[in-house]
Amino acid sequence: LILSDLYLNKGSFWSISLIFGFLTALLLAIPYFKKGQTGLDRFRVISLMGVAGLFLGPGLFGTLNRMRSVDLVDKEFSVEQVIPLVEGRGIGLSDLESPDAYRLFLETDHGYLKLRMQPSKLISELKKGDQISITVCGGLLGFHFFDNDSLKKI
């Protein structure tokens, strides 16, 4: 998913959002238990709700996080490398002209940041050594993120 890269700490975001979805689904499964149910029927209800929670959890968690976000800081990065990505649409010449996404390698004071961004005019024009600025937002649940719109060339 391209949107997952817009979270600065995407590993813990995905872990916590999947756990959130699964536990929320299990809580929602409790009213469906009936007194005469067998263990197998209860297991089916729990598994169905658990799988549904795993699919819906990250979307709900991400929406909750972005509901009351606050702009924290404008961070400056130096572009190290821009790689266009073409992902499985075939091998025609037109496929090579329009990439599906770009892999950006950015250098910051704290090390390197690797991002996968959707194509845009600004990203396709970036070269090694260019300086860019990104507005980092703080989410309601504590996960910092940025939007594609906040990317500016300095």
Side-chain angles (χ1 to χ4, degrees):
L1 284 176
I2 293 174
L3 290 177
S4 68
D5 279 356
L6 301 183
Y7 283 92
L8 295 182
N9 194 357
K10 68 181 177 187
S12 64
F13 170 78
W14 276 102
S15 303
I16 292 173
S17 65
L18 288 172
I19 291 169
F20 167 79
F22 186 73
L23 293 178
T24 303
L26 291 183
L27 288 175
L28 293 175
I30 291 173
Y32 292 103
F33 292 155
K34 298 180 177 113
K35 286 190 177 180
Q37 279 183 330
T38 64
L40 182 61
D41 289 338
R42 287 185 180 189
F43 176 74
R44 286 179 184 161
V45 169
I46 287 175
S47 342
L48 179 65
M49 294 297 276
V51 169
L54 289 175
F55 283 112
L56 299 175
L60 292 173
F61 194 77
T63 302
L64 282 173
N65 188 54
R66 289 174 179 250
M67 282 178 78
R68 300 203 59 175
S69 62
V70 179
D71 291 350
L72 292 179
V73 68
D74 287 337
K75 294 279 290 178
E76 293 185 6
F77 297 95
S78 174
V79 176
E80 287 300 311
Q81 191 174 15
V82 179
I83 302 172
L85 302 174
V86 179
E87 298 174 344
R89 291 183 296 162
I91 55 171
L93 292 175
S94 63
D95 293 339
L96 299 176
E97 294 172 4
S98 61
D100 295 319
Y102 284 91
R103 173 100 38 214
L104 295 177
F105 292 92
L106 306 174
E107 185 179 3
T108 177
D109 306 343
H110 306 291
Y112 288 95
L113 181 64
K114 179 175 76 170
L115 300 174
R116 184 174 164 182
M117 303 285 290
Q118 295 174 350
S120 72
K121 184 177 180 186
L122 176 68
I123 293 175
S124 63
E125 294 174 353
L126 289 176
K127 306 232 181 311
K128 182 176 180 170
D130 286 347
Q131 296 290 322
I132 60 171
S133 172
I134 298 174
T135 302
V136 178
C137 300
L140 181 66
L141 302 175
F143 289 96
H144 299 330
F145 65 94
F146 65 93
D147 293 320
N148 282 337
D149 304 351
S150 71
L151 187 74
K152 298 176 200 100
K153 191 171 179 180
I154 300 177

mmCIF file of all heavy atoms in Angstrom, residues 63-111:
data_model
loop_
_atom_site.group_PDB
_atom_site.id
_atom_site.type_symbol
_atom_site.label_atom_id
_atom_site.label_comp_id
_atom_site.label_asym_id
_atom_site.label_seq_id
_atom_site.Cartn_x
_atom_site.Cartn_y
_atom_site.Cartn_z
ATOM 1 N N THR A 63 -8.009 6.367 10.121
ATOM 2 C CA THR A 63 -8.982 7.466 10.103
ATOM 3 C C THR A 63 -9.073 8.132 11.460
ATOM 4 O O THR A 63 -9.101 9.361 11.563
ATOM 5 C CB THR A 63 -10.364 6.933 9.679
ATOM 6 O OG1 THR A 63 -10.236 6.325 8.386
ATOM 7 C CG2 THR A 63 -11.385 8.047 9.616
ATOM 8 N N LEU A 64 -9.103 7.336 12.530
ATOM 9 C CA LEU A 64 -9.127 7.902 13.884
ATOM 10 C C LEU A 64 -7.886 8.739 14.155
ATOM 11 O O LEU A 64 -7.962 9.802 14.774
ATOM 12 C CB LEU A 64 -9.216 6.789 14.933
ATOM 13 C CG LEU A 64 -10.569 6.153 15.153
ATOM 14 C CD1 LEU A 64 -10.440 4.965 16.099
ATOM 15 C CD2 LEU A 64 -11.545 7.160 15.704
ATOM 16 N N ASN A 65 -6.737 8.269 13.698
ATOM 17 C CA ASN A 65 -5.484 8.984 13.934
ATOM 18 C C ASN A 65 -5.474 10.339 13.230
ATOM 19 O O ASN A 65 -4.953 11.314 13.755
ATOM 20 C CB ASN A 65 -4.294 8.145 13.465
ATOM 21 C CG ASN A 65 -2.977 8.748 13.853
ATOM 22 O OD1 ASN A 65 -2.743 9.038 15.018
ATOM 23 N ND2 ASN A 65 -2.119 8.946 12.875
ATOM 24 N N ARG A 66 -6.067 10.426 12.029
ATOM 25 C CA ARG A 66 -6.029 11.659 11.241
ATOM 26 C C ARG A 66 -7.161 12.632 11.563
ATOM 27 O O ARG A 66 -7.198 13.720 11.024
ATOM 28 C CB ARG A 66 -6.085 11.323 9.760
ATOM 29 C CG ARG A 66 -4.810 10.692 9.269
ATOM 30 C CD ARG A 66 -4.962 10.251 7.827
ATOM 31 N NE ARG A 66 -3.732 9.669 7.345
ATOM 32 C CZ ARG A 66 -2.952 10.236 6.443
ATOM 33 N NH1 ARG A 66 -3.274 11.376 5.910
ATOM 34 N NH2 ARG A 66 -1.846 9.655 6.070
ATOM 35 N N MET A 67 -8.098 12.254 12.434
ATOM 36 C CA MET A 67 -9.283 13.082 12.670
ATOM 37 C C MET A 67 -8.945 14.477 13.190
ATOM 38 O O MET A 67 -9.451 15.461 12.700
ATOM 39 C CB MET A 67 -10.240 12.382 13.633
ATOM 40 C CG MET A 67 -11.044 11.304 12.947
ATOM 41 S SD MET A 67 -12.124 10.446 14.047
ATOM 42 C CE MET A 67 -13.450 11.604 14.206
ATOM 43 N N ARG A 68 -8.123 14.582 14.180
ATOM 44 C CA ARG A 68 -7.786 15.891 14.760
ATOM 45 C C ARG A 68 -6.274 16.063 14.746
ATOM 46 O O ARG A 68 -5.647 16.219 15.783
ATOM 47 C CB ARG A 68 -8.323 15.977 16.176
ATOM 48 C CG ARG A 68 -9.831 15.810 16.197
ATOM 49 C CD ARG A 68 -10.436 16.394 17.368
ATOM 50 N NE ARG A 68 -10.132 17.823 17.417
ATOM 51 C CZ ARG A 68 -10.619 18.622 18.318
ATOM 52 N NH1 ARG A 68 -11.427 18.172 19.218
ATOM 53 N NH2 ARG A 68 -10.313 19.897 18.324
ATOM 54 N N SER A 69 -5.710 16.040 13.577
ATOM 55 C CA SER A 69 -4.262 16.150 13.466
ATOM 56 C C SER A 69 -3.826 17.611 13.582
ATOM 57 O O SER A 69 -4.569 18.530 13.291
ATOM 58 C CB SER A 69 -3.778 15.569 12.143
ATOM 59 O OG SER A 69 -4.320 16.288 11.081
ATOM 60 N N VAL A 70 -2.587 17.772 14.014
ATOM 61 C CA VAL A 70 -2.000 19.100 14.209
ATOM 62 C C VAL A 70 -0.679 19.143 13.448
ATOM 63 O O VAL A 70 0.123 18.219 13.527
ATOM 64 C CB VAL A 70 -1.728 19.341 15.716
ATOM 65 C CG1 VAL A 70 -1.091 20.687 15.931
ATOM 66 C CG2 VAL A 70 -3.009 19.212 16.513
ATOM 67 N N ASP A 71 -0.454 20.221 12.680
ATOM 68 C CA ASP A 71 0.838 20.385 12.006
ATOM 69 C C ASP A 71 1.913 20.603 13.060
ATOM 70 O O ASP A 71 1.826 21.519 13.871
ATOM 71 C CB ASP A 71 0.815 21.582 11.057
ATOM 72 C CG ASP A 71 -0.083 21.343 9.853
ATOM 73 O OD1 ASP A 71 -0.516 20.197 9.679
ATOM 74 O OD2 ASP A 71 -0.333 22.301 9.109
ATOM 75 N N LEU A 72 2.924 19.755 13.047
ATOM 76 C CA LEU A 72 3.972 19.844 14.063
ATOM 77 C C LEU A 72 5.160 20.679 13.591
ATOM 78 O O LEU A 72 5.539 21.651 14.218
ATOM 79 C CB LEU A 72 4.452 18.446 14.455
ATOM 80 C CG LEU A 72 3.462 17.578 15.201
ATOM 81 C CD1 LEU A 72 4.089 16.227 15.500
ATOM 82 C CD2 LEU A 72 3.030 18.239 16.492
ATOM 83 N N VAL A 73 5.748 20.264 12.484
ATOM 84 C CA VAL A 73 6.997 20.896 12.065
ATOM 85 C C VAL A 73 7.213 20.667 10.567
ATOM 86 O O VAL A 73 6.722 19.697 10.004
ATOM 87 C CB VAL A 73 8.174 20.314 12.887
ATOM 88 C CG1 VAL A 73 8.429 18.863 12.556
ATOM 89 C CG2 VAL A 73 9.429 21.130 12.716
ATOM 90 N N ASP A 74 7.908 21.587 9.926
ATOM 91 C CA ASP A 74 8.356 21.393 8.549
ATOM 92 C C ASP A 74 9.767 20.811 8.600
ATOM 93 O O ASP A 74 10.682 21.449 9.099
ATOM 94 C CB ASP A 74 8.371 22.714 7.780
ATOM 95 C CG ASP A 74 6.986 23.198 7.430
ATOM 96 O OD1 ASP A 74 6.074 22.364 7.374
ATOM 97 O OD2 ASP A 74 6.827 24.411 7.214
ATOM 98 N N LYS A 75 9.915 19.593 8.099
ATOM 99 C CA LYS A 75 11.222 18.935 8.092
ATOM 100 C C LYS A 75 11.852 19.086 6.719
ATOM 101 O O LYS A 75 11.178 19.002 5.708
ATOM 102 C CB LYS A 75 11.076 17.438 8.397
ATOM 103 C CG LYS A 75 10.601 17.099 9.779
ATOM 104 C CD LYS A 75 11.676 17.125 10.788
ATOM 105 C CE LYS A 75 12.643 15.993 10.603
ATOM 106 N NZ LYS A 75 13.732 16.013 11.542
ATOM 107 N N GLU A 76 13.152 19.331 6.700
ATOM 108 C CA GLU A 76 13.886 19.437 5.443
ATOM 109 C C GLU A 76 14.694 18.166 5.216
ATOM 110 O O GLU A 76 15.303 17.622 6.135
ATOM 111 C CB GLU A 76 14.800 20.655 5.471
ATOM 112 C CG GLU A 76 14.046 21.956 5.492
ATOM 113 C CD GLU A 76 14.953 23.163 5.398
ATOM 114 O OE1 GLU A 76 16.177 22.976 5.205
ATOM 115 O OE2 GLU A 76 14.436 24.284 5.525
ATOM 116 N N PHE A 77 14.678 17.703 3.968
ATOM 117 C CA PHE A 77 15.380 16.494 3.580
ATOM 118 C C PHE A 77 16.201 16.765 2.339
ATOM 119 O O PHE A 77 15.873 17.635 1.542
ATOM 120 C CB PHE A 77 14.384 15.369 3.265
ATOM 121 C CG PHE A 77 13.539 14.951 4.424
ATOM 122 C CD1 PHE A 77 12.279 15.493 4.609
ATOM 123 C CD2 PHE A 77 13.988 14.012 5.320
ATOM 124 C CE1 PHE A 77 11.486 15.105 5.662
ATOM 125 C CE2 PHE A 77 13.199 13.614 6.385
ATOM 126 C CZ PHE A 77 11.950 14.168 6.555
ATOM 127 N N SER A 78 17.248 15.990 2.178
ATOM 128 C CA SER A 78 18.056 16.021 0.973
ATOM 129 C C SER A 78 17.768 14.731 0.195
ATOM 130 O O SER A 78 17.811 13.634 0.750
ATOM 131 C CB SER A 78 19.536 16.090 1.339
ATOM 132 O OG SER A 78 20.323 15.972 0.187
ATOM 133 N N VAL A 79 17.480 14.863 -1.084
ATOM 134 C CA VAL A 79 17.148 13.705 -1.915
ATOM 135 C C VAL A 79 18.432 12.973 -2.280
ATOM 136 O O VAL A 79 19.357 13.570 -2.822
ATOM 137 C CB VAL A 79 16.391 14.141 -3.188
ATOM 138 C CG1 VAL A 79 16.132 12.961 -4.094
ATOM 139 C CG2 VAL A 79 15.113 14.861 -2.829
ATOM 140 N N GLU A 80 18.511 11.701 -1.971
ATOM 141 C CA GLU A 80 19.667 10.878 -2.323
ATOM 142 C C GLU A 80 19.444 10.110 -3.621
ATOM 143 O O GLU A 80 20.334 9.964 -4.417
ATOM 144 C CB GLU A 80 19.988 9.891 -1.196
ATOM 145 C CG GLU A 80 20.613 10.538 0.018
ATOM 146 C CD GLU A 80 21.923 11.218 -0.310
ATOM 147 O OE1 GLU A 80 22.779 10.594 -0.956
ATOM 148 O OE2 GLU A 80 22.090 12.374 0.078
ATOM 149 N N GLN A 81 18.210 9.591 -3.779
ATOM 150 C CA GLN A 81 17.937 8.789 -4.960
ATOM 151 C C GLN A 81 16.430 8.755 -5.193
ATOM 152 O O GLN A 81 15.643 8.711 -4.257
ATOM 153 C CB GLN A 81 18.464 7.366 -4.744
ATOM 154 C CG GLN A 81 18.482 6.517 -5.966
ATOM 155 C CD GLN A 81 19.149 5.173 -5.687
ATOM 156 O OE1 GLN A 81 19.346 4.776 -4.554
ATOM 157 N NE2 GLN A 81 19.492 4.480 -6.747
ATOM 158 N N VAL A 82 16.022 8.772 -6.469
ATOM 159 C CA VAL A 82 14.624 8.643 -6.867
ATOM 160 C C VAL A 82 14.549 7.512 -7.879
ATOM 161 O O VAL A 82 15.199 7.566 -8.927
ATOM 162 C CB VAL A 82 14.081 9.944 -7.497
ATOM 163 C CG1 VAL A 82 12.635 9.776 -7.912
ATOM 164 C CG2 VAL A 82 14.233 11.112 -6.549
ATOM 165 N N ILE A 83 13.777 6.466 -7.556
ATOM 166 C CA ILE A 83 13.673 5.303 -8.435
ATOM 167 C C ILE A 83 12.220 5.157 -8.880
ATOM 168 O O ILE A 83 11.338 4.978 -8.041
ATOM 169 C CB ILE A 83 14.122 4.017 -7.711
ATOM 170 C CG1 ILE A 83 15.552 4.166 -7.223
ATOM 171 C CG2 ILE A 83 13.968 2.811 -8.619
ATOM 172 C CD1 ILE A 83 16.020 3.032 -6.348
ATOM 173 N N PRO A 84 11.933 5.220 -10.191
ATOM 174 C CA PRO A 84 10.564 4.962 -10.662
ATOM 175 C C PRO A 84 10.269 3.466 -10.608
ATOM 176 O O PRO A 84 11.123 2.644 -10.938
ATOM 177 C CB PRO A 84 10.564 5.485 -12.093
ATOM 178 C CG PRO A 84 11.978 5.583 -12.491
ATOM 179 C CD PRO A 84 12.816 5.651 -11.257
ATOM 180 N N LEU A 85 9.062 3.119 -10.169
ATOM 181 C CA LEU A 85 8.657 1.721 -10.046
ATOM 182 C C LEU A 85 7.514 1.423 -11.013
ATOM 183 O O LEU A 85 6.524 2.136 -11.057
ATOM 184 C CB LEU A 85 8.191 1.425 -8.626
ATOM 185 C CG LEU A 85 9.193 1.684 -7.499
ATOM 186 C CD1 LEU A 85 8.534 1.474 -6.156
ATOM 187 C CD2 LEU A 85 10.393 0.779 -7.647
ATOM 188 N N VAL A 86 7.670 0.360 -11.796
ATOM 189 C CA VAL A 86 6.609 -0.130 -12.668
ATOM 190 C C VAL A 86 6.246 -1.508 -12.136
ATOM 191 O O VAL A 86 7.089 -2.391 -12.066
ATOM 192 C CB VAL A 86 7.078 -0.216 -14.136
ATOM 193 C CG1 VAL A 86 5.980 -0.760 -15.029
ATOM 194 C CG2 VAL A 86 7.549 1.138 -14.615
ATOM 195 N N GLU A 87 4.982 -1.679 -11.774
ATOM 196 C CA GLU A 87 4.589 -2.897 -11.059
ATOM 197 C C GLU A 87 3.582 -3.725 -11.834
ATOM 198 O O GLU A 87 2.387 -3.481 -11.766
ATOM 199 C CB GLU A 87 4.024 -2.524 -9.700
ATOM 200 C CG GLU A 87 5.056 -1.840 -8.851
ATOM 201 C CD GLU A 87 4.488 -1.341 -7.553
ATOM 202 O OE1 GLU A 87 3.251 -1.245 -7.439
ATOM 203 O OE2 GLU A 87 5.278 -1.052 -6.661
ATOM 204 N N GLY A 88 4.062 -4.676 -12.581
ATOM 205 C CA GLY A 88 3.263 -5.742 -13.138
ATOM 206 C C GLY A 88 2.121 -5.389 -14.061
ATOM 207 O O GLY A 88 1.095 -6.039 -14.023
ATOM 208 N N ARG A 89 2.262 -4.380 -14.900
ATOM 209 C CA ARG A 89 1.197 -4.089 -15.852
ATOM 210 C C ARG A 89 1.528 -4.633 -17.234
ATOM 211 O O ARG A 89 0.792 -4.412 -18.166
ATOM 212 C CB ARG A 89 0.966 -2.587 -15.946
ATOM 213 C CG ARG A 89 0.356 -2.006 -14.699
ATOM 214 C CD ARG A 89 0.103 -0.554 -14.896
ATOM 215 N NE ARG A 89 1.373 0.123 -15.085
ATOM 216 C CZ ARG A 89 1.496 1.324 -15.620
ATOM 217 N NH1 ARG A 89 0.453 1.969 -16.030
ATOM 218 N NH2 ARG A 89 2.682 1.886 -15.741
ATOM 219 N N GLY A 90 2.591 -5.307 -17.394
ATOM 220 C CA GLY A 90 3.001 -5.788 -18.711
ATOM 221 C C GLY A 90 4.360 -5.235 -19.076
ATOM 222 O O GLY A 90 5.044 -4.638 -18.260
ATOM 223 N N ILE A 91 4.733 -5.445 -20.323
ATOM 224 C CA ILE A 91 6.061 -5.017 -20.731
ATOM 225 C C ILE A 91 6.028 -4.116 -21.957
ATOM 226 O O ILE A 91 6.990 -4.020 -22.685
ATOM 227 C CB ILE A 91 6.970 -6.234 -20.994
ATOM 228 C CG1 ILE A 91 6.313 -7.168 -22.013
ATOM 229 C CG2 ILE A 91 7.321 -6.949 -19.711
ATOM 230 C CD1 ILE A 91 7.214 -8.280 -22.488
ATOM 231 N N GLY A 92 4.895 -3.460 -22.203
ATOM 232 C CA GLY A 92 4.808 -2.551 -23.346
ATOM 233 C C GLY A 92 5.619 -1.297 -23.109
ATOM 234 O O GLY A 92 5.955 -0.931 -21.977
ATOM 235 N N LEU A 93 5.939 -0.588 -24.191
ATOM 236 C CA LEU A 93 6.723 0.640 -24.085
ATOM 237 C C LEU A 93 5.972 1.716 -23.305
ATOM 238 O O LEU A 93 6.574 2.500 -22.583
ATOM 239 C CB LEU A 93 7.093 1.151 -25.475
ATOM 240 C CG LEU A 93 8.083 0.295 -26.248
ATOM 241 C CD1 LEU A 93 8.269 0.861 -27.644
ATOM 242 C CD2 LEU A 93 9.403 0.237 -25.502
ATOM 243 N N SER A 94 4.640 1.758 -23.418
ATOM 244 C CA SER A 94 3.877 2.775 -22.689
ATOM 245 C C SER A 94 3.950 2.543 -21.180
ATOM 246 O O SER A 94 3.838 3.473 -20.400
ATOM 247 C CB SER A 94 2.426 2.789 -23.154
ATOM 248 O OG SER A 94 1.812 1.551 -22.851
ATOM 249 N N ASP A 95 4.120 1.286 -20.759
ATOM 250 C CA ASP A 95 4.247 0.989 -19.327
ATOM 251 C C ASP A 95 5.525 1.569 -18.750
ATOM 252 O O ASP A 95 5.571 1.958 -17.592
ATOM 253 C CB ASP A 95 4.230 -0.525 -19.083
ATOM 254 C CG ASP A 95 2.881 -1.133 -19.401
ATOM 255 O OD1 ASP A 95 1.886 -0.380 -19.421
ATOM 256 O OD2 ASP A 95 2.824 -2.348 -19.637
ATOM 257 N N LEU A 96 6.582 1.625 -19.529
ATOM 258 C CA LEU A 96 7.850 2.129 -19.037
ATOM 259 C C LEU A 96 7.862 3.655 -18.931
ATOM 260 O O LEU A 96 8.677 4.221 -18.230
ATOM 261 C CB LEU A 96 8.989 1.663 -19.951
ATOM 262 C CG LEU A 96 9.155 0.148 -20.046
ATOM 263 C CD1 LEU A 96 10.238 -0.189 -21.058
ATOM 264 C CD2 LEU A 96 9.482 -0.452 -18.697
ATOM 265 N N GLU A 97 6.953 4.322 -19.635
ATOM 266 C CA GLU A 97 6.936 5.779 -19.631
ATOM 267 C C GLU A 97 6.202 6.353 -18.415
ATOM 268 O O GLU A 97 6.440 7.480 -18.023
ATOM 269 C CB GLU A 97 6.282 6.282 -20.917
ATOM 270 C CG GLU A 97 7.101 5.960 -22.141
ATOM 271 C CD GLU A 97 6.352 6.280 -23.418
ATOM 272 O OE1 GLU A 97 5.248 6.822 -23.342
ATOM 273 O OE2 GLU A 97 6.887 5.963 -24.496
ATOM 274 N N SER A 98 5.286 5.603 -17.824
ATOM 275 C CA SER A 98 4.507 6.120 -16.696
ATOM 276 C C SER A 98 4.618 5.169 -15.505
ATOM 277 O O SER A 98 3.943 4.155 -15.460
ATOM 278 C CB SER A 98 3.044 6.294 -17.098
ATOM 279 O OG SER A 98 2.502 5.057 -17.467
ATOM 280 N N PRO A 99 5.467 5.489 -14.562
ATOM 281 C CA PRO A 99 5.627 4.613 -13.398
ATOM 282 C C PRO A 99 4.399 4.642 -12.484
ATOM 283 O O PRO A 99 3.653 5.615 -12.442
ATOM 284 C CB PRO A 99 6.850 5.182 -12.682
ATOM 285 C CG PRO A 99 7.049 6.528 -13.224
ATOM 286 C CD PRO A 99 6.376 6.611 -14.541
ATOM 287 N N ASP A 100 4.194 3.544 -11.756
ATOM 288 C CA ASP A 100 3.089 3.438 -10.803
ATOM 289 C C ASP A 100 3.390 4.182 -9.513
ATOM 290 O O ASP A 100 2.491 4.643 -8.828
ATOM 291 C CB ASP A 100 2.823 1.976 -10.452
ATOM 292 C CG ASP A 100 2.331 1.196 -11.653
ATOM 293 O OD1 ASP A 100 1.515 1.742 -12.406
ATOM 294 O OD2 ASP A 100 2.764 0.045 -11.829
ATOM 295 N N ALA A 101 4.662 4.225 -9.142
ATOM 296 C CA ALA A 101 5.078 4.860 -7.890
ATOM 297 C C ALA A 101 6.556 5.221 -8.007
ATOM 298 O O ALA A 101 7.231 4.851 -8.972
ATOM 299 C CB ALA A 101 4.859 3.912 -6.717
ATOM 300 N N TYR A 102 7.028 5.955 -7.008
ATOM 301 C CA TYR A 102 8.449 6.313 -6.938
ATOM 302 C C TYR A 102 8.972 5.921 -5.560
ATOM 303 O O TYR A 102 8.304 6.119 -4.552
ATOM 304 C CB TYR A 102 8.647 7.823 -7.119
ATOM 305 C CG TYR A 102 8.494 8.284 -8.541
ATOM 306 C CD1 TYR A 102 7.262 8.698 -9.015
ATOM 307 C CD2 TYR A 102 9.578 8.311 -9.401
ATOM 308 C CE1 TYR A 102 7.117 9.128 -10.322
ATOM 309 C CE2 TYR A 102 9.436 8.748 -10.701
ATOM 310 C CZ TYR A 102 8.208 9.150 -11.157
ATOM 311 O OH TYR A 102 8.066 9.574 -12.450
ATOM 312 N N ARG A 103 10.170 5.366 -5.536
ATOM 313 C CA ARG A 103 10.849 5.075 -4.283
ATOM 314 C C ARG A 103 11.825 6.224 -4.051
ATOM 315 O O ARG A 103 12.691 6.479 -4.876
ATOM 316 C CB ARG A 103 11.576 3.750 -4.371
ATOM 317 C CG ARG A 103 12.438 3.438 -3.216
ATOM 318 C CD ARG A 103 11.932 2.516 -2.167
ATOM 319 N NE ARG A 103 11.157 1.396 -2.608
ATOM 320 C CZ ARG A 103 10.147 0.911 -1.894
ATOM 321 N NH1 ARG A 103 9.824 1.462 -0.766
ATOM 322 N NH2 ARG A 103 9.468 -0.107 -2.316
ATOM 323 N N LEU A 104 11.647 6.945 -2.937
ATOM 324 C CA LEU A 104 12.511 8.075 -2.595
ATOM 325 C C LEU A 104 13.420 7.685 -1.444
ATOM 326 O O LEU A 104 12.961 7.129 -0.451
ATOM 327 C CB LEU A 104 11.686 9.285 -2.159
ATOM 328 C CG LEU A 104 10.782 9.948 -3.180
ATOM 329 C CD1 LEU A 104 10.015 11.080 -2.523
ATOM 330 C CD2 LEU A 104 11.580 10.479 -4.323
ATOM 331 N N PHE A 105 14.686 7.993 -1.574
ATOM 332 C CA PHE A 105 15.637 7.832 -0.480
ATOM 333 C C PHE A 105 16.038 9.236 -0.043
ATOM 334 O O PHE A 105 16.645 9.977 -0.823
ATOM 335 C CB PHE A 105 16.858 7.028 -0.932
ATOM 336 C CG PHE A 105 16.535 5.590 -1.229
ATOM 337 C CD1 PHE A 105 16.189 5.208 -2.515
ATOM 338 C CD2 PHE A 105 16.549 4.644 -0.220
ATOM 339 C CE1 PHE A 105 15.879 3.891 -2.802
ATOM 340 C CE2 PHE A 105 16.239 3.326 -0.502
ATOM 341 C CZ PHE A 105 15.905 2.941 -1.785
ATOM 342 N N LEU A 106 15.689 9.596 1.173
ATOM 343 C CA LEU A 106 15.934 10.933 1.689
ATOM 344 C C LEU A 106 16.917 10.879 2.838
ATOM 345 O O LEU A 106 16.888 9.961 3.653
ATOM 346 C CB LEU A 106 14.618 11.563 2.166
ATOM 347 C CG LEU A 106 13.474 11.593 1.157
ATOM 348 C CD1 LEU A 106 12.204 12.101 1.815
ATOM 349 C CD2 LEU A 106 13.841 12.440 -0.036
ATOM 350 N N GLU A 107 17.788 11.887 2.912
ATOM 351 C CA GLU A 107 18.745 11.986 4.014
ATOM 352 C C GLU A 107 18.288 13.094 4.957
ATOM 353 O O GLU A 107 17.877 14.165 4.537
ATOM 354 C CB GLU A 107 20.138 12.305 3.486
ATOM 355 C CG GLU A 107 21.183 12.300 4.577
ATOM 356 C CD GLU A 107 22.572 12.585 4.038
ATOM 357 O OE1 GLU A 107 22.720 12.849 2.833
ATOM 358 O OE2 GLU A 107 23.507 12.556 4.847
ATOM 359 N N THR A 108 18.340 12.790 6.248
ATOM 360 C CA THR A 108 17.957 13.745 7.269
ATOM 361 C C THR A 108 19.025 13.745 8.355
ATOM 362 O O THR A 108 20.000 12.998 8.277
ATOM 363 C CB THR A 108 16.568 13.392 7.851
ATOM 364 O OG1 THR A 108 16.259 14.294 8.891
ATOM 365 C CG2 THR A 108 16.507 11.983 8.360
ATOM 366 N N ASP A 109 18.847 14.576 9.359
ATOM 367 C CA ASP A 109 19.817 14.645 10.456
ATOM 368 C C ASP A 109 19.924 13.315 11.200
ATOM 369 O O ASP A 109 20.956 12.992 11.763
ATOM 370 C CB ASP A 109 19.399 15.724 11.468
ATOM 371 C CG ASP A 109 19.172 17.065 10.802
ATOM 372 O OD1 ASP A 109 19.630 17.236 9.663
ATOM 373 O OD2 ASP A 109 18.539 17.930 11.423
ATOM 374 N N HIS A 110 18.839 12.566 11.227
ATOM 375 C CA HIS A 110 18.786 11.330 12.014
ATOM 376 C C HIS A 110 19.024 10.077 11.194
ATOM 377 O O HIS A 110 18.782 8.984 11.659
ATOM 378 C CB HIS A 110 17.426 11.229 12.705
ATOM 379 C CG HIS A 110 17.094 12.433 13.511
ATOM 380 N ND1 HIS A 110 17.758 12.765 14.663
ATOM 381 C CD2 HIS A 110 16.177 13.401 13.313
ATOM 382 C CE1 HIS A 110 17.261 13.886 15.149
ATOM 383 N NE2 HIS A 110 16.299 14.293 14.355
ATOM 384 N N GLY A 111 19.444 10.207 9.954
ATOM 385 C CA GLY A 111 19.694 9.040 9.118
ATOM 386 C C GLY A 111 18.925 9.128 7.809
ATOM 387 O O GLY A 111 18.604 10.208 7.335
#
